[in-house]
Amino acid sequence: MKAVLLDRDGVINALVHHQDAGVIDAPFTRSQFMLLPRVPAAVRLLNDLGLGIAIVSNQPGIAKGHLKPEMLKTFERMMIAGIRKEGGHVDRVYYCLHHPEAKLAKFRQCCRCRKPEIGLLEQAAADLQVSLSECYMIGDGIPDLLAGSRAGCRNIFIGRWKCEICQFTEAPHVRPAFVAKDLWEAVQFIRTETNGTRKVALTPSCLPAQT
């Protein structure tokens, strides 16, 4: 494996409960943007393993009128700066700004870059000069899993695997190779595989959902 493709919200930075809208979503303001624990150290470890790193993220907030383009760039600067404090770096950052129900007409479209489509992943792999089959796709949502599977990547899911996710992903081959509680744990799995000490597929079973 030569590269890691990372979703952003829920993997790199924390999701936010927007009480006014009653939804959990990406941050909309500077004060809401926070890197998740151990993310900078995880990114640095990927650097040390010699793997390319690209962020591939659906970001429809501008299209929906939640934030301005300048704020998205501010989030990116904060992300890069936080990772650099630990000596790590991200090679590429890609966003899909589109949404089929966007308030802003120029972003209202069904595109090839919005996950679960694979346009972002294809662009990242091309720029990193790797094949998609040589990439891990790490995400916390069904679109990430579907995009990674369609692209031929090795999927890692961040979060708690539930039966509902099995049902939405429809096909067994979409299920991830590994389920991790956070990026740090996911990178430990990658390190194990990269070092060749253990080659296992930790595909989760579909267990009854717990409340």
Side-chain angles (χ1 to χ4, degrees), residues 50-87:
L51 299 171
I53 302 174
I55 308 296
V56 288
S57 178
N58 293 348
Q59 290 295 326
I62 297 170
K64 293 180 177 181
H66 295 317
L67 67 155
K68 300 295 184 182
E70 295 77 14
M71 186 57 64
L72 183 60
K73 294 302 294 184
T74 295
F75 293 159
E76 183 175 323
R77 287 192 294 269
M78 293 172 69
M79 175 182 69
I80 296 301
I83 291 170
R84 281 180 177 167
K85 285 183 179 179
E86 294 280 348

Side-chain angles (χ1 to χ4, degrees), residues 90-186:
V90 171
D91 297 296
R92 306 276 180 167
V93 180
Y94 305 91
Y95 303 127
C96 171
L97 303 180
H98 307 117
H99 194 278
E101 300 175 2
K103 291 183 178 180
L104 301 181
K106 68 177 181 178
F107 296 122
R108 191 184 308 126
Q109 59 175 286
C110 294
C111 60
R112 289 195 69 255
C113 55
R114 179 176 169 80
K115 294 175 293 183
E117 300 300 325
I118 66 171
L120 289 185
L121 283 65
E122 289 177 325
Q123 186 63 57
D127 291 343
L128 292 173
Q129 299 183 340
V130 299
S131 70
L132 284 165
S133 63
E134 297 171 323
C135 297
Y136 291 96
M137 175 68 223
I138 303 181
D140 68 327
I142 293 170
D144 303 312
L145 292 175
L146 292 173
S149 176
R150 292 171 179 175
C153 300
R154 188 154 169 76
N155 281 333
I156 298 178
F157 182 77
I158 300 292
R160 180 168 168 264
W161 191 259
K162 299 180 181 180
C163 247
E164 305 92 277
I165 303 176
C166 297
Q167 294 165 6
F168 276 114
T169 55
E170 298 177 353
H173 71 271
V174 177
R175 297 181 187 178
F178 187 67
V179 176
K181 64 181 180 181
D182 57 19
L183 184 58
W184 176 257
E185 187 173 286

